[in-house]
Amino acid sequence: MNTESSPSVSTKQRRIAELAEYHGAEGLRTLGHHLDLEWMREAYGRVRKGSAPGVDGKSVADYGRELDKNLGGLIDRAKSGSYQAPPVRRVHIPKANGKETRPIGMPTVEDKILQRAVVMLLEPMYEREFGDFSYGFRPGRSAHQALKAIWQGINRTQAGWVVDVDIRAFFDTLDHGVLMGILQKRVKDGVILKLVAKWLKAGVMEAGALSYPEAGTPQGGVISPLLSNIYLHEVLDEWFEAAVIPRLQGRGFMVRYADDFVMGFECREDAERVMKALPGRFGRYGLKLHEGKTRLVRFGKPEDGSGGGGGSGKPETFDFLGFTHHWAKSRKGRWYIQRKTARKRLRRALKTIHQWCRQNQHRPVEELMRELGRKLHGHYAYYGITCNYRSLAQFYEGATQRMRWWLNRRSRQQDGMSWERFKKLIREVYPLPRPRIVHSV
């Protein structure tokens, strides 16, 4: 996907950011005039070319055959108010456990283009307001930066207590009326507000049946991550900075990645007070916390002897962004925070490899090895952080074992695929990428 703006679009976005800062709480009344042909071409260029078609069956390539004509009509309908958000095609893909499914929404290409165009308008306005501790779905920010921020936050504040929070079905329960109210504080342009309202009310087409969700962000929409960040910025981020931090007895910090966040506190009393206040705060905005997954974690450095902030016993662990955070000793005998691939994530990744091997065992060995190599590279690209080599090695061993098992199964009528033969195969003929640390976090 193209993520770099053309010079003209970048200039306009800087101007939007400047105007947003100048007008402050008054908000901006004129945004829709930026939706011209050049702006829409840029939005089209950012739509992933291989994305699945929506209910109309049109691909990105289909739409691009008469691009300027199609975009011109889209602009006219968007600005006149005659644009109707089409239903989102929803399919279910199996989860790694093989028992449950995950719903995936697929908007039409035209809807993706228009949503991307509106995101390009709103991002410059809100990026200046979003906190430094917010990392999910923001330009220039990544999950690895969020992981680093947690490490820095715990060490800087000597946080002995961590509040690990889980919002129950956030993307499905977000209140439409509350969201529009939050948006209207900064966005006064009727064209943009009407478009967002139409996306929130757009139907969902599933197995030939059309339904209209009363809550939640647009299914599969590229605007959904930005809307969720805008929502949680008011619900959580501003509240934490304005109401929580000033009232703490000790020090504290927060790191949020989309709807996943953790808070760290130096004092146990602060952690307990904030944890008690969270359900009420989220309830005011129509959200609920998952009681079984929201917990207070004792995370003080072991050598403290107190577990941090007056606690006792062995420090606990917590998971964030697919990693388990825990204390470990270095070779020099010093305690430090170590991250390893969360057990559930590792099992899920290996389950996915197993299913893929089963579904593709009929393909030529060369193709299988090449694709397996890409999957290993992809795993290392995310989980390859400092001190996580052992988990990477477990994934490598588990993935190669599953591949060998399926190759042996299909060749059982011949000479089989012994371990010796398989190891020679991946060492001399089709070398697979070995585990490696990619990120220094």
Side-chain angles (χ1 to χ4, degrees):
M1 180 188 296
N2 178 25
T3 57
E4 295 186 4
S5 300
S6 69
S8 177
V9 170
S10 295
T11 300
K12 292 177 181 178
Q13 288 181 315
R14 284 195 297 270
R15 180 58 177 163
I16 291 172
E18 292 169 358
L19 289 172
E21 184 171 5
Y22 177 78
H23 290 283
E26 296 178 14
L28 294 185
R29 298 184 179 277
T30 55
L31 286 169
H33 68 283
H34 289 296
L35 298 177
D36 55 20
L37 196 56
E38 181 183 30
W39 192 277
M40 300 303 286
R41 285 200 197 107
E42 178 75 20
Y44 171 80
R46 297 189 184 193
V47 175
R48 188 166 56 88
K49 298 302 178 283
S51 58
V55 293
D56 61 358
K58 287 186 178 180
S59 67
V60 178
D62 293 335
Y63 195 88
R65 290 193 178 95
E66 294 182 282
L67 183 60
D68 286 358
K69 178 182 177 181
N70 290 332
L71 292 179
L74 178 58
I75 293 170
D76 291 341
R77 283 179 284 131
K79 291 186 176 182
S80 67
S82 63
Y83 179 81
Q84 297 298 321
V88 174
R89 183 168 69 93
R90 184 162 68 187
V91 298
H92 289 262
I93 61 174
K95 289 186 176 181
N97 58 22
K99 300 177 181 178
E100 300 175 291
T101 60
R102 179 179 292 106
I104 300 295
M106 300 176 184
T108 63
V109 171
E110 188 169 70
D111 213 34
K112 292 175 185 176
I113 295 170
L114 189 54
Q115 287 192 32
R116 176 58 65 186
V118 173
V119 168
M120 289 160 53
L121 289 174
L122 297 181
E123 267 187 351
M125 294 180 57
Y126 283 98
E127 275 299 310
R128 55 176 289 275
E129 296 188 10
F130 290 159
D132 287 338
F133 49 78
S134 169
Y135 291 88
F137 305 114
R138 293 182 57 190
R141 288 175 168 256
S142 69
H144 295 103
Q145 290 175 330
L147 292 168
K148 183 177 181 180
I150 288 180
W151 181 87
Q152 292 175 332
I154 292 176
N155 284 290
R156 183 183 68 253
T157 64
Q158 296 182 5
W161 300 91
V162 171
V163 177
D164 184 12
V165 185
D166 185 272
I167 307 175
R168 187 187 294 273
F170 170 72
F171 291 99
D172 296 327
T173 59
L174 181 148
D175 188 285
H176 292 170
V178 173
L179 172 61
M180 293 304 299
I182 295 173
L183 200 62
Q184 288 168 6
K185 293 180 180 181
R186 294 289 183 270
V187 182
K188 309 294 185 179
D189 190 306
V191 170
I192 305 304
L193 291 174
K194 287 178 182 178
L195 286 173
V196 174
K198 288 178 180 180
W199 286 320
L200 292 175
K201 297 176 182 178
V204 175
M205 182 69 73
E206 182 176 1
L210 183 61
S211 61
Y212 294 90
E214 298 180 357
T217 55
Q219 283 277 330
V222 295
I223 199 170
S224 293
L226 177 59
L227 294 180
S228 65
N229 270 335
I230 293 171
Y231 202 92
L232 285 175
H233 175 68
E234 173 156 326
V235 176
L236 177 65
D237 300 356
E238 290 185 328
W239 172 73
F240 185 78
E241 286 190 305
V244 174
I245 291 294
R247 292 177 171 83
L248 296 180
Q249 297 177 19
R251 292 171 292 181
F253 76 95
M254 181 175 75
V255 174
R256 180 172 70 82
Y257 192 93
D259 65 325
D260 195 5
F261 68 96
V262 294
M263 298 172 170
F265 301 95
E266 184 178 10
C267 299
R268 177 174 184 168
E269 293 77 9
D270 290 333
E272 291 176 337
R273 210 163 41 242
V274 172
M275 189 170 179
K276 185 177 180 180
L278 280 171
R281 175 66 183 181
F282 277 79
R284 287 176 54 189
Y285 293 85
L287 300 173
K288 295 182 179 180
L289 301 185
H290 198 298
E291 295 182 0
K293 296 181 180 179
T294 299
R295 61 196 185 103
L296 179 60
V297 178
R298 182 190 299 112
F299 201 72
K301 187 183 295 187
E303 68 182 8
D304 291 344
S306 63
S312 61
K314 182 180 178 181
E316 299 172 278
T317 68
F318 66 94
D319 290 353
F320 187 70
L321 297 179
F323 292 91
T324 297
H325 296 64
H326 64 102
W327 286 98
K329 262 190 177 182
S330 69
R331 293 179 180 178
K332 295 183 179 180
R334 297 177 180 176
W335 289 103
Y336 70 102
I337 301 169
Q338 189 178 81
R339 280 70 54 92
K340 64 180 179 180
T341 307
R343 189 176 301 174
K344 288 183 179 179
R345 289 291 187 94
L346 183 58
R347 285 202 302 261
R348 187 172 74 185
L350 290 174
K351 179 76 172 180
T352 300
I353 291 291
H354 182 83
Q355 292 176 336
W356 173 79
C357 289
R358 181 182 61 186
Q359 295 166 359
N360 295 273
Q361 58 175 312
H362 60 280
R363 293 167 57 184
V365 175
E366 181 180 1
E367 290 183 14
L368 289 174
M369 291 302 179
R370 186 165 56 244
E371 183 64 24
L372 179 60
R374 283 196 286 264
K375 292 181 181 297
L376 290 171
H377 270 304
H379 188 87
Y380 304 155
Y382 183 76
Y383 291 101
I385 68 171
T386 307
C387 300
N388 194 37
Y389 185 88
R390 181 176 296 179
S391 294
L392 298 182
Q394 289 178 340
F395 179 74
Y396 174 87
E397 293 296 330
T400 52
Q401 285 174 7
R402 284 157 177 78
M403 174 60 76
R404 180 255 168 190
W405 191 88
W406 282 104
L407 289 178
N408 183 62
R409 180 182 176 90
R410 81 174 190 179
S411 62
R412 190 167 294 169
Q413 302 300 324
Q414 304 170 21
D415 56 347
M417 179 64 70
S418 64
W419 263 115
E420 291 71 20
R421 182 184 173 192
F422 182 75
K423 288 181 178 179
K424 183 177 181 180
L425 187 72
I426 62 175
R427 183 175 61 250
E428 300 178 5
V429 185
Y430 306 117
L432 294 174
R434 301 288 301 182
R436 67 189 186 94
I437 300 302
V438 180
H439 305 278
S440 178
V441 177

